[in-house]
Amino acid sequence: MNPNFMHAGWLLRVPFAAVFLFHGAGKLAMPAASAQMLGLPMALVLLVGLAEVLAGLGALAGGLPRLARADLATRLSGLAAAPVLLGAIAMVHWPRWSFTPSESHPMGGMEFQVVLLGMAVYFMMTGARERAS
């Protein structure tokens, strides 16, 4: 296995990408159902779904050793994810912390979104820097 391909950054990239690709693809595949479930306009659901898919793809692409713009892809991945996460925290999960659903917060609290937001900010700040080591 090529040692330049494997680095610790993949330990953040893969789960981040998996979450965003899964959620974004679901919104894009069933926008009407997603809009109804989330109580959002269809246009916003489509925009969020696109941002989520692009965030996931950018996180994966940014880790590829031969991608000329890996740093930019990584930073844009974080930039695409951050407003989605801030919106989810503000509109759905605030002020409950625990991710477990409750009567007042059937979608759970914000701790998972805060972790993902931290990862998004990390990607925005560092780019593909872990590849250089």
Side-chain angles (χ1 to χ4, degrees):
M1 191 171 296
N2 182 351
N4 291 328
F5 182 71
M6 294 305 296
H7 51 74
W10 285 106
L11 296 174
L12 290 179
R13 290 178 184 280
V14 171
F16 182 88
V19 167
F20 278 93
L21 288 170
F22 174 79
H23 284 273
K27 286 177 183 74
L28 295 178
M30 298 182 298
S34 296
Q36 183 179 11
M37 181 188 77
L38 296 169
L40 297 173
M42 179 117 46
L44 184 57
V45 167
L46 290 169
L47 184 62
V48 168
L50 181 61
E52 289 173 334
V53 167
L54 292 175
L57 292 175
L60 293 176
L64 298 175
R66 295 185 185 204
L67 183 66
R69 303 265 188 217
D71 193 63
L72 181 62
T74 300
R75 291 176 192 274
L76 289 175
S77 172
L79 185 62
V84 170
L85 292 163
L86 289 170
I89 290 168
M91 295 170 62
V92 178
H93 302 286
W94 188 266
R96 184 169 167 79
W97 180 252
S98 175
F99 69 91
T100 55
S102 69
E103 194 171 307
S104 65
H105 290 78
M107 300 289 280
M110 64 181 166
E111 67 183 334
F112 181 60
Q113 288 71 25
V114 170
V115 171
L116 290 172
L117 180 59
M119 293 168 74
V121 170
Y122 173 82
F123 288 150
M124 283 190 290
M125 292 176 66
T126 63
R129 188 177 303 157
E130 81 273 1
R131 291 182 354 159
S133 51

